Amino acid sequence: MLELIKAEVRRYALQAEQEGLCRHRSGNFSMRDAASNLICITPTGMDRKEMTTDDVVVIDMEGRIAESLHGRKPTSEHMMHTAVYRSRSDVAAIAHTHSRAATAFAVMNKSIPAIVYELSILGCREGYIPVAPYGRPGTRAAAENVLAPLTISDVVLMQAHGVVAIAENLKGALLKASYVEELADIYYRTLTVLGHEPDTIPADELAKWKYPNV
């Protein structure tokens, strides 16, 4: 069932591991099939280096298991994934990462402002990466708390937790999560050197900017 989508989930989950965006079984990934509305999602508590396509679990929009060839359970964050898909019908992929610099700002409950133009490709309509209020991981509160921030941005920091990035496919979602980590690292370095907040790019200016055609 949905073998190509399951293969994509495994591929990008492993890529996230290799790129250092999540370690030690942290983080989770999913893709929604537009035709069936079924979701392929990473299993809980499994080393991604050992994960096969058959370990990827298929669930419905309510989180019920539709297929689990190896008897795996979906990630404990599956309520967050299904809540996002129900809230954002345009979204077909979710990457939830625990990268170091971005998670540090999530721990501080500190949003990341538009310090460089790349923020414009992250769907940050208010000119910053917002922080979702704290909710215990794997709970309905954690799932519901990301929904409001995701109405103004395609990337969100989860307080004391990590990063959520959404897109039309997992390649795009993982790219956005990668940008969040890079922006968090630049912001940290800038704050360290300056000792105060840097200048930022206004939201209306960000909205006007696009990569030039070459």
Side-chain angles (χ1 to χ4, degrees):
M1 180 186 293
L2 304 177
E3 297 305 311
L4 292 178
I5 296 179
K6 288 195 291 185
E8 288 286 281
V9 170
R10 176 187 177 275
R11 173 187 175 184
Y12 287 107
L14 182 59
Q15 182 176 325
E17 172 91 21
Q18 293 169 337
E19 293 180 358
L21 294 175
C22 44
R23 302 276 192 182
H24 313 302
R25 305 182 183 182
S26 67
N28 34 79
F29 306 83
S30 71
M31 283 187 67
R32 180 177 61 85
D33 175 51
S36 65
N37 251 1
L38 291 175
I39 300 162
C40 298
I41 195 166
T42 47
T44 188
M46 187 171 190
D47 190 329
R48 281 177 288 270
K49 296 175 183 176
E50 300 174 356
M51 187 173 65
T52 69
T53 298
D54 288 344
D55 289 310
V56 176
V57 183
V58 182
I59 61 176
D60 65 16
M61 291 285 278
E62 301 303 321
R64 296 179 292 250
I65 295 176
E67 180 185 78
S68 180
L69 296 179
H70 286 176
R72 305 286 184 191
K73 293 182 179 180
T75 171
S76 60
E77 300 286 355
H78 70 273
M79 280 193 290
M80 179 188 69
H81 289 253
T82 56
V84 172
Y85 288 128
R86 290 194 300 268
S87 177
R88 290 280 303 264
S89 60
D90 58 315
V91 172
I94 300 170
H96 171 42
T97 59
H98 288 197
S99 54
R100 289 183 179 180
T103 301
F105 284 100
V107 169
M108 292 186 284
N109 193 21
K110 184 172 178 56
S111 60
I112 300 175
I115 49 175
V116 294
Y117 276 96
E118 278 75 9
L119 200 80
S120 65
I121 66 173
L122 301 180
C124 301
R125 290 172 281 284
E126 301 294 329
Y128 64 91
I129 299 171
V131 183
Y134 174 77
R136 189 180 307 123
T139 65
R140 190 169 301 280
E144 293 177 349
N145 286 352
V146 303
L147 299 183
L150 285 175
T151 64
I152 63 168
S153 176
D154 290 347
V155 291
V156 173
L157 302 179
M158 299 176 72
Q159 185 180 355
H161 194 154
V163 177
V164 176
I166 58 176
E168 296 178 353
N169 52 60
L170 260 182
K171 181 179 181 180
L174 188 58
L175 178 61
K176 289 178 181 178
S178 300
Y179 270 123
V180 172
E181 177 63 9
E182 185 173 339
L183 287 168
D185 184 62
I186 294 170
Y187 188 35
Y188 168 77
R189 292 169 185 266
T190 305
L191 287 172
T192 301
V193 172
L194 290 179
H196 58 78
E197 291 287 339
D199 293 335
T200 58
I201 304 167
D204 59 346
E205 170 63 17
L206 279 177
K208 298 173 185 176
W209 185 81
K210 295 181 179 180
Y211 277 109
N213 293 322
V214 293

